[in-house]
Amino acid sequence: MKNRLPFVALAALALGLASTASAAVETYVADPAHSSVNFSIRHFFTNVPGRFTKFSATLTVDRDNLEKSSAEATIEIASVKTEAPDRDAHLQKPEFFDAAQFPTMTFKSKSWKKTGADAFAVTGDLTIKGVTKEVVLNVKSLGFGPGMQPGSMLSGWEGSLTVNRSDFGVSAFPKVVGEEVAITINVEADLKK
């Protein structure tokens, strides 16, 4: 019996370490009610803001090493809002997003690189209108903590990037509408149980 005790202790320790390692990886799902996807683009001389109201996002994170994280997001093109219904309808047409053929845009991260305190350059594939380009999203982790519901856990994130719309085939009216689109993302995400 004495000879078995060290083995049992080691086995218990190994199981404990394994459960600790697996517990370090967490999956968070964006809460659309407390998250936003916004953009701004030049129209002649001024910047016009807009947003997408329907989207989903999932983040898988290791809080001990956020560089091991991954993120995926899907945005519904038909949910675009610029506070001008005629313009929103025009953005659905083939010369812009062609929402009938390409109803969503997607992002999938490939790597996270720490660039500062809680800041990361997240490289990933952005697909718009059937065209996929590698982009870098500047992301900041805003923190982790309990939510309002008992036992709930939240994480907060913000991100930004600028893309050239013509790179994705969204190239109508080049003399009227700017090429660069500034995108800002704010995410409050719930821990998936």
Side-chain angles (χ1 to χ4, degrees):
M1 184 67 96
K2 286 184 178 180
N3 291 338
R4 292 192 61 201
L5 284 175
F7 173 77
V8 172
L10 285 173
L13 179 61
L15 285 172
L17 289 174
S19 64
T20 301
S22 62
V25 176
E26 301 171 323
T27 300
Y28 290 82
V29 177
D31 174 3
H34 298 100
S35 303
S36 61
V37 178
N38 306 293
F39 65 89
S40 177
I41 188 167
R42 182 181 52 77
H43 182 265
F44 283 109
F45 308 110
T46 59
N47 288 320
V48 175
R51 60 195 169 94
F52 291 92
T53 60
K54 293 184 180 179
F55 52 87
S56 61
T58 302
L59 297 104
T60 302
V61 301
D62 179 346
R63 283 199 262 166
D64 293 329
N65 185 358
L66 288 176
E67 287 186 299
K68 293 182 179 178
S69 299
S70 65
E72 293 187 31
T74 300
I75 298 168
E76 295 184 27
I77 299 298
S79 73
V80 67
K81 301 293 181 197
T82 63
E83 309 309 326
D86 289 344
R87 180 170 55 214
D88 296 344
H90 193 186
L91 289 172
Q92 312 296 320
K93 296 187 180 287
E95 60 206 39
F96 284 106
F97 286 112
D98 196 359
Q101 186 173 354
F102 305 103
T104 62
M105 70 174 80
T106 62
F107 175 81
K108 184 173 184 178
S109 70
K110 296 194 291 190
S111 68
W112 289 51
K113 181 179 179 183
K114 190 172 180 66
T115 57
D118 300 317
F120 303 86
V122 178
T123 300
D125 287 332
L126 177 63
T127 301
I128 302 173
K129 205 174 179 181
V131 178
T132 300
K133 299 282 186 182
E134 187 175 272
V135 299
V136 178
L137 180 64
N138 298 305
V139 171
K140 185 167 185 180
S141 169
L142 303 177
F144 297 83
M148 294 182 67
Q149 300 302 320
S152 65
M153 178 68 69
L154 304 176
S155 66
W157 308 84
E158 61 183 19
S160 64
L161 78 157
T162 299
V163 299
N164 186 312
R165 67 187 182 100
S166 292
D167 288 346
F168 297 91
V170 185
S171 54
F173 304 108
K175 294 183 179 179
V176 177
V177 181
E179 288 293 301
E180 293 190 339
V181 184
I183 301 167
T184 56
I185 302 163
N186 292 283
V187 174
E188 181 176 290
D190 299 302
L191 178 64
K192 187 176 179 181
K193 296 182 179 178

